[in-house]
Amino acid sequence: MFLDKRSEQIVRHLVLHPNTTSGEVARFFNVTRNQLNYSVKRINEWCKERKQPGIQRLKNGHFQLPEELTTFVYKQFSDLEEQARSNPRLQ
């Protein structure tokens, strides 16, 4: 299984912006709550196939990404580290 473009963009966004809420992500990507739920489900299936922990949604609207998953995503998408360095808000 591979990640569709939207799901890949969402997982990248969550890794770079770990304190974001589901409402903020939905607005940022201009998707409905159902579309966001579908993408998170796809991301978690992708993680499971790779024996990685998935994304958890908290009751307060935030996401919880285990450190192991964050590290895995950085390795999968090598350009993320460059994006993180070039964004002053993330330092």
Side-chain angles (χ1 to χ4, degrees):
M1 171 189 194
F2 66 94
L3 284 179
D4 58 271
K5 186 175 180 175
R6 181 176 66 205
S7 296
E8 181 182 328
Q9 290 173 334
I10 288 172
V11 75
R12 287 170 171 265
H13 184 82
L14 291 174
V15 166
L16 292 173
H17 307 279
N19 295 322
T20 192
T21 65
S22 57
E24 292 167 341
V25 173
R27 281 188 296 278
F28 185 84
F29 289 101
N30 195 29
V31 297
T32 66
R33 198 163 100 183
N34 285 340
Q35 289 171 313
L36 180 58
N37 288 341
Y38 176 78
S39 288
V40 171
K41 183 180 175 184
R42 296 266 310 176
I43 292 165
N44 283 338
E45 289 170 359
W46 178 78
C47 291
K48 186 176 180 179
E49 283 185 358
R50 286 153 180 79
K51 299 184 181 359
Q52 297 298 316
I55 297 170
Q56 291 183 329
R57 294 181 75 169
L58 306 177
K59 289 182 181 181
N60 64 4
H62 286 85
F63 295 93
Q64 184 174 8
L65 280 79
E67 185 66 32
E68 184 180 348
L69 176 59
T70 301
T71 301
F72 177 75
V73 170
Y74 268 102
K75 288 179 182 177
Q76 288 294 303
F77 307 111
S78 58
D79 61 321
L80 268 181
E81 194 169 336
E82 181 61 34
Q83 285 179 344
R85 278 197 301 258
S86 66
N87 187 342
R89 290 183 11 208
L90 301 174
Q91 297 177 0

